[in-house]
Amino acid sequence: MKIAGLDLGEKPLLLAPMEDVTDPSFRYICKEFGADMVYTEFISSDGLIRDAAKSLAKLNISDQERPVGIQIYGHLIEPMVEAAIVAETARPDVIDINFGCPVKKIANRGAGSGMMKDVPLMVEMTRRIVRAVRTPVTVKTRLGWDDDNRNIHEIALRLQDVGIAALTIHGRTRSQMYRGEADWTLIGQVKNDPAIRIPIIGNGDIDSPQRAAEAFDRYGVDGVMVGRATYGRPWIFREIRHYLRTGELLPQPSVSERVEIAKRHLLKSVEVKGDKVGVLEMRRHFSNYFKGLPNFKETRYKLVTLNEVPELLSTLDYVAETWGGYDTAAIVPPPLSKEI
C-alpha cells in the first residue's frame, strides 16, 4: 500500500491516533512490535496556532518511529490550515485530518465527527489544507453522523477529488460512539468502488488476528488500523502479522516478557517526558499490561501510586518473580475501552 510516495508494504498495520494513549513512548513500543505506521494523539488546531505547550509537545516525533502521521482537528478552516502548516514543520510523513472523533465536547463544536454534518465545509477545509502543505494529507472519519446519514461513500469520493492521499474509515456512525459492533460492509463497498483510487484503511473492533485477516480478505481494505485493542496489548501487531503470514496464533506473552515490555515502556516514557510526568502517564498502562493476573490488587496499587523509577522497576521485578510461572493463556485481553 502506498500513501502518495510512502510505501508501507503489503497489508500494513497502523496504530490509530488516541488521545492520552499514543504518546511517543507508546508509539515506540508499538513500532517495536511491528506497527507499520503510527500516529500522534490528535492535536487541536487552536492549540497549535496559539503555541499552547501541550499541543506543541505532541509534535515531538523521532526518526525511530517513522513513518509517523500527525493528526489535527478543528472546526474552522483558517485555523486548520495554519495548524497544518505548523504541523508540517515537525516533518511528519503524513498530516491526517480528524473527522471522526465522536466525543461530545469536540463533535458538538463541529470538529471531529461533527464535521460530517456539514460535508461541503469538510470538503472545502480538506481542499485548503491539501493546497497549503507539501506533505501528503489523509483523513480519518466514520460512516456518517447517524443511521439516517451513512454517507461515507459520497464523502470518500469528494475527499478523493480534492486530493487526499488515503482515507481511514471507522465502521461506526458518530451517534454510535463506540457502542455495538463496527459495520465493515460500507467500508468494503467504498474500497471496492472502481471510482476509488486512493488507499482505504479500515478501522473498528480489530481486536484479534482473525478479525484483521477478515478485514483484508473479506472486505479488501488496503490497510488495517488498530486502536483500542492495543491498550495494554501493543504486541497485537506481532500477533496479527504472524497470523497473516502463517495462519497460526502466537501464544500470549509470558508475565516475564510483559514485565520487560513494561520496563522498556517506562524508561522510554521518562526519557521523553522526565521522571515526574513520565511516571504519571505510565500508570494507565501498568494496570492493563497485567490485567487478569490473580491476587494482583495490592501490586497493581503500587504500580499506580509509586513515584520513583527505581521503586517501580523493583516492583516490576517482583511481578516477574511472583507470577513468572502463571499461564498467560488464561488471561483474557482487556476489553475495548469505551472512552478512547
Side-chain angles (χ1 to χ4, degrees):
M1 182 184 92
K2 287 186 176 181
I3 299 177
L6 179 64
D7 191 345
L8 296 178
E10 185 180 359
K11 296 183 177 180
L13 307 174
L14 297 82
L15 171 66
M18 293 178 284
E19 178 70 359
D20 293 329
V21 178
T22 56
D23 65 359
S25 61
F26 190 68
R27 299 196 301 265
Y28 176 82
I29 294 296
C30 289
K31 195 73 179 178
E32 192 177 72
F33 281 104
D36 295 297
M37 185 167 181
V38 297
Y39 289 79
T40 64
E41 303 166 79
F42 57 72
I43 307 174
S44 161
S45 59
D46 291 340
L48 278 186
I49 64 177
R50 292 174 183 167
D51 292 336
K54 185 175 181 180
S55 294
L56 289 173
K58 292 178 181 179
L59 296 180
N60 179 16
I61 59 178
S62 69
D63 287 339
Q64 292 173 311
E65 56 187 292
R66 292 188 184 279
V68 57
I70 290 176
Q71 189 184 74
I72 59 175
Y73 74 94
H75 66 290
L76 297 174
I77 291 178
E78 294 302 333
M80 281 289 282
V81 171
E82 290 183 53
I85 293 170
V86 173
E88 190 171 43
T89 65
R91 299 186 303 108
D93 295 281
V94 304
I95 293 173
D96 191 69
I97 308 173
N98 182 324
F99 290 146
C101 178
V103 175
K104 183 182 293 187
K105 67 179 181 180
I106 293 174
N108 284 359
R109 291 178 59 207
S113 60
M115 194 65 68
M116 304 193 84
K117 297 178 76 173
D118 191 342
V119 175
L121 178 60
M122 174 196 286
V123 172
E124 179 60 15
M125 177 183 288
T126 305
R127 184 185 69 82
R128 291 280 304 280
I129 292 171
V130 169
R131 289 178 57 185
V133 297
R134 295 184 178 181
T135 304
V137 175
T138 60
V139 164
K140 185 172 189 287
T141 190
R142 290 185 164 230
L143 300 179
W145 177 257
D146 55 28
D147 280 342
D148 294 327
N149 296 278
R150 293 160 66 95
N151 54 342
I152 184 58
H153 210 140
E154 172 203 350
I155 289 170
L157 291 167
R158 294 183 66 176
L159 292 177
Q160 175 180 264
D161 287 346
V162 297
I164 66 168
L167 176 66
T168 300
I169 305 171
H170 180 98
R172 288 182 174 86
T173 62
R174 187 274 165 181
S175 64
Q176 284 182 270
M177 302 293 286
Y178 293 102
R179 295 185 296 270
E181 290 193 7
D183 178 4
W184 280 71
T185 305
L186 272 178
I187 301 176
Q189 289 176 8
V190 172
K191 168 57 198 171
N192 292 297
D193 181 347
I196 293 291
R197 304 179 301 277
I198 57 174
I200 300 297
I201 301 159
N203 172 235
D205 294 350
I206 300 295
D207 59 1
S208 69
Q210 298 96 318
R211 283 197 168 186
E214 180 184 35
F216 284 117
D217 298 340
R218 181 176 179 182
Y219 300 102
V221 293
D222 298 286
V224 163
M225 183 174 282
V226 191
R228 294 171 294 153
T230 64
Y231 199 24
R233 192 183 169 195
W235 52 83
I236 192 173
F237 293 104
R238 179 176 68 184
E239 294 180 84
I240 294 172
R241 182 59 63 199
H242 182 81
Y243 186 81
L244 292 177
R245 187 171 61 249
T246 68
E248 299 173 352
L249 294 173
L250 284 174
Q252 289 299 301
S254 67
V255 172
S256 295
E257 184 179 358
R258 292 170 194 237
V259 165
E260 291 307 311
I261 295 165
K263 283 183 176 181
R264 292 198 301 275
H265 193 171
L266 169 63
L267 294 175
K268 191 67 176 178
S269 184
V270 298
E271 173 191 326
V272 173
K273 298 187 176 182
D275 284 11
K276 183 178 180 179
V277 177
V279 166
L280 286 173
E281 296 199 355
M282 273 301 297
R283 289 176 176 175
R284 66 175 68 97
H285 296 285
F286 280 139
S287 291
N288 284 283
Y289 277 137
F290 305 108
K291 197 160 191 173
L293 289 182
N295 306 312
F296 196 70
K297 184 176 180 180
E298 183 177 336
T299 304
R300 178 181 290 109
Y301 181 76
K302 288 183 179 181
L303 288 173
V304 300
T305 56
L306 291 172
N307 294 311
E308 302 299 325
V309 174
E311 293 177 338
L312 283 166
L313 292 174
S314 177
T315 302
L316 288 169
D317 285 336
Y318 172 76
V319 173
E321 293 167 7
T322 306
W323 285 274
Y326 185 76
D327 182 7
T328 53
I331 296 179
V332 178
L336 297 184
S337 168
K338 300 299 182 184
E339 300 176 356
I340 297 175

